[in-house]
Amino acid sequence: MKRRLFIKQTGILAGAAMVAPSLMSAKKKETKLVILHTNDTHSNIDPFPKNHAKFPDMGGVSRRAALIKSIREQEDNVLLLDAGDIFQGTPYFNKFKGVLEMKTMSEMQYDVVTLGNHDFDIGIDGYVKAKEHGTFKVVNANYDLSKTAMHSHVEPHVVIKKGGLKIGIFGVGIDLDGLVAKENTSGLIYNDPVASANQQVALLKQKGCDYIICLSHLGFEYPTDKMSDKILAQKTEGIDLIIGGHTHTFLDAPVVLKNTKGEDVLINQVGYGGLHLGRIDIQFSTDLNKTTIGECVPLTSKWDLA
Amino acid sequence: MKFSFLILLLGAGLSACSSLLVVSDAQSKRTVMNGTLQTDVQMDSLIAPYSRELAIEMNQVIGEALVDLSPMRPNSNLGIWSTDLLIEFAKDSLNMNDEPLIAILNTGGLRASINKGPITVGDVFKVMPFDNSVVLVKIDTAKISSIVDYLFGSISEPIAGFKINKGVFEMNVPNDKPYIWVVTSDFLANGGDKMTFFKDPLEMRLSGVLLRDLMISSVKKQQKLTTTNEERISW
């Protein structure tokens, strides 16, 4: 007994001795966060048909699952996100009412998704029923769902801890008027995405988040002044990254815009149908040499395209 | 663990900066999900029973497309095919033979192309995944100008029974009545895509027939789908 206690104590001591020098020499400590994302997957379980006019034999959840698995084997801190419209587009949805979309996304271990307009296509009750098969979190901050069956299934934001980082993730959705049959959104109240976003950022900052991601189904941009990711990025503050959807926009690389404070906001979107998997690697560093109080180190954007 | 401990320690002494963490680098990459990628055995076995059940229904070949039919603006062969079959259905089955009749759908509602080759039930599901049903809406001819305005604003939607010839509305069959019937989907008739000319109609008749089912029966009837590239809308 004595001997074991002794070993334990020296173990602690040794541990402390190891921490101390590392603290002393830690001029730079790096943590890498890998953000994987999809949007508008639209019930595309199988790859597109081999005779598809534009995207023959592309996509498919089995390939996506394998790719995500291989990334998880290489990386410690992986976040898997989706920007909405997981429903509608193939007969899998018509026949199984969203159950298979939920099951496959859970199998891939999606962390957080937001709501797209088509996610209301079988009504609020339909979504909630399918969601029984989904293990991921659903975020939206600008739909008041308190009077609907969704209220206990959708949160304005979530905070996820990865590798010592606190990642705040909130969602914003498009105005559903004219996009979804009224009876399918009964009780839902739409609020301004900009006001909702600023509110969420403030809350997430209060909670000590190191990085703030907005999952948006507003759409990348419009020829009119209709609310979009581009407008949201420029009219808010504190959002680091917008993962967008709805407009099925294929971006070659994230677009970088300035927010109201002149800080960079990244926007990314990867088309639709699970044709592409988006990946953004963020390197966080506690660089004791460079970082002084109140100074901001600019984000360098080196986009490595594949 | 050691990392968060570090931040805590150092963070205690700071006031202006909540954290020492900074983004020092960001890179992006997108992977095109093509056939060179591996598949996942576990995912395949999760999907398999669903695929089998669905395949029995969806893989039935019901006709053949001699060309690619795609939804495009301003004029598309898929749009022409879809609206023509609405007109035919309204005439044959909804007693619209002697009435002024046009058809309007929305480009955004046609969700996929019918690709050249055999057409299966599943292909039609992809074009029209929504459970929208066919409706007839009777509107005052005074609303024609707002139909033209709408089409101008959106550049075009699939139409039949009339033309927009350099911006001018022309019925295929001249109309002396003060109203027209529009055969369309319940989604559009009820305010979808903000087609406000459907608001406060003179009359609305539900057919109870799904647009998709109508498409499936049309493919079965026509067997070989071919199209002419007709210009129905020009500005």
Side-chain angles (χ1 to χ4, degrees):
Chain A
M1 279 304 276
K2 254 192 166 180
R3 188 180 145 82
R4 263 170 85 182
L5 186 66
F6 174 71
I7 292 169
K8 251 187 174 173
Q9 279 174 341
T10 48
I12 292 163
L13 274 172
M18 275 168 71
V19 170
S22 76
L23 188 60
M24 299 299 283
S25 63
K27 289 280 182 344
K28 198 166 185 179
K29 173 78 189 179
E30 300 268 342
T31 303
K32 185 176 170 193
L33 177 68
V34 175
I35 300 161
L36 303 178
H37 61 97
T38 51
N39 56 275
D40 302 273
T41 51
H42 283 297
S43 308
N44 282 281
I45 304 294
D46 298 325
F48 279 37
K50 289 193 164 65
N51 66 340
H52 190 274
K54 276 193 195 157
F55 307 109
D57 192 33
M58 279 175 64
V61 289
S62 182
R63 288 173 190 156
R64 200 192 320 157
L67 178 61
I68 289 166
K69 242 181 214 176
S70 73
I71 294 169
R72 286 190 198 279
E73 278 165 14
Q74 290 156 15
E75 303 290 345
D76 291 330
N77 307 311
V78 176
L79 264 183
L80 179 56
L81 309 173
D82 184 273
D85 274 7
I86 64 170
F87 284 174
Q88 193 73 265
T90 73
Y92 282 105
F93 177 67
N94 306 85
K95 193 154 179 78
F96 305 112
K97 307 293 175 208
V99 169
L100 192 55
E101 291 83 332
M102 294 288 180
K103 282 189 172 179
T104 51
M105 289 174 76
S106 302
E107 172 74 20
M108 290 180 271
Q109 296 172 49
Y110 270 80
D111 293 292
V112 192
V113 311
T114 193
L115 295 166
N117 47 304
H118 283 298
D119 297 325
F120 291 90
D121 281 356
I122 43 173
I124 285 174
D125 293 339
Y127 187 90
V128 169
K129 198 152 179 251
K131 183 62 181 58
E132 286 172 15
H133 303 278
T135 53
F136 44 83
K137 302 270 189 187
V138 186
V139 289
N140 176 286
N142 70 318
Y143 295 158
D144 179 350
L145 298 162
S146 57
K147 291 184 178 62
T148 75
M150 265 184 183
H151 77 275
S152 52
H153 301 271
V154 181
E155 299 159 77
H157 67 247
V158 293
V159 177
I160 292 185
K161 290 178 186 165
K162 290 268 178 193
L165 297 165
K166 262 186 169 181
I167 317 295
I169 305 169
F170 71 96
V172 288
I174 193 166
D175 189 350
L176 300 171
D177 185 27
L179 286 175
V180 184
K182 288 231 168 12
E183 65 267 23
N184 285 355
T185 59
S186 173
L188 180 152
I189 300 161
Y190 174 81
N191 292 317
D192 174 36
V194 171
S196 302
N198 280 330
Q199 211 172 29
Q200 293 306 311
V201 168
L203 286 169
L204 291 168
K205 293 260 184 204
Q206 255 175 37
K207 290 186 179 182
C209 287
D210 302 301
Y211 198 73
I212 296 180
I213 302 172
C214 171
L215 292 180
S216 158
H217 202 78
L218 296 174
F220 179 64
E221 66 178 336
Y222 301 99
T224 59
D225 59 358
K226 183 180 156 92
M227 180 53 63
S228 64
D229 292 340
K230 277 186 148 178
I231 295 175
L232 183 78
Q234 290 168 297
K235 286 197 168 177
T236 53
E237 62 175 68
I239 301 174
D240 293 297
L241 169 67
I242 298 174
I243 298 292
H246 187 63
T247 41
H248 297 191
T249 309
F250 287 94
L251 292 178
D252 289 332
V255 168
V256 186
L257 294 174
K258 298 283 182 198
N259 68 14
T260 52
K261 281 176 143 179
E263 299 156 342
D264 284 346
V265 186
L266 268 62
I267 310 173
N268 206 18
Q269 193 177 144
V270 287
Y272 75 103
L275 292 166
H276 293 179
L277 179 72
R279 172 174 176 167
I280 296 175
D281 292 6
I282 310 281
Q283 197 77 31
F284 293 87
S285 84
T286 45
D287 192 329
L288 306 185
N289 291 330
K290 280 188 197 163
T291 314
T292 54
I293 294 167
E295 190 189 355
C296 289
V297 175
L299 174 119
T300 60
S301 34
K302 280 192 306 187
W303 304 121
D304 165 34
L305 285 178
Chain B
M1 274 315 284
K2 252 192 261 171
F3 182 46
S4 55
F5 172 66
L6 223 163
I7 296 164
L8 270 175
L9 258 180
L10 296 163
L14 303 170
S15 53
C17 208
S18 61
S19 158
L20 272 173
L21 275 175
V22 292
V23 173
S24 61
D25 189 28
Q27 297 191 23
S28 89
K29 177 181 176 168
R30 59 182 179 133
T31 304
V32 178
M33 308 297 291
N34 60 27
T36 64
L37 296 177
Q38 300 288 314
T39 53
D40 183 69
V41 180
Q42 270 156 293
M43 186 59 90
D44 290 338
S45 58
L46 166 64
I47 297 166
Y50 292 90
S51 295
R52 273 197 297 272
E53 192 181 335
L54 196 63
I56 296 164
E57 192 180 332
M58 295 298 155
N59 289 348
Q60 295 172 58
V61 175
I62 50 172
E64 186 190 353
L66 301 178
V67 292
D68 285 333
L69 283 88
S70 305
M72 286 179 300
R73 287 189 161 100
N75 295 285
S76 78
N77 51 10
L78 185 63
I80 288 172
W81 179 73
S82 310
T83 45
D84 279 354
L85 66 89
L86 280 180
I87 295 274
E88 195 188 323
F89 172 68
K91 284 186 172 173
D92 292 351
S93 308
L94 304 174
N95 302 319
M96 284 290 125
N97 236 335
D98 302 317
E99 292 285 345
L101 177 68
I102 64 171
I104 299 177
L105 284 177
N106 56 330
T107 307
L110 303 173
R111 305 295 289 185
S113 305
I114 295 179
N115 302 300
K116 187 179 168 180
I119 305 170
T120 62
V121 173
D123 292 332
V124 183
F125 262 84
K126 290 201 167 186
V127 173
M128 182 42 68
F130 313 113
D131 290 340
N132 290 342
S133 54
V134 179
V135 297
L136 277 169
V137 190
K138 189 182 186 182
I139 60 172
D140 199 301
T141 49
K143 286 192 173 173
I144 285 173
S145 65
S146 63
I147 293 177
V148 177
D149 288 348
Y150 183 92
L151 294 172
F152 183 72
S154 75
I155 300 166
S156 82
E157 304 298 337
I159 59 162
F162 70 104
K163 283 188 173 61
I164 301 284
N165 186 3
K166 296 198 172 68
V168 180
F169 181 96
E170 292 173 1
M171 287 285 283
N172 291 4
V173 181
N175 177 27
D176 52 6
K177 300 204 170 72
Y179 62 85
I180 49 169
W181 286 95
V182 188
V183 54
T184 185
S185 73
D186 57 348
F187 170 74
L188 296 174
N190 292 319
D193 274 6
K194 309 213 163 153
M195 291 192 179
T196 49
F197 45 85
F198 284 130
K199 226 178 156 190
D200 306 319
L202 300 170
E203 195 183 332
M204 195 186 298
R205 288 187 200 168
L206 310 177
S207 72
V209 174
L210 292 181
L211 188 45
R212 182 176 55 241
D213 290 345
L214 190 60
M215 287 176 164
I216 290 170
S217 61
S218 284
V219 174
K220 283 180 178 169
K221 208 161 73 183
Q222 296 172 17
Q223 276 308 302
K224 289 188 193 303
L225 266 62
T226 185
T227 53
T228 49
N229 288 319
E230 195 186 327
E231 190 178 50
R232 290 194 177 170
I233 295 183
S234 64
W235 301 103

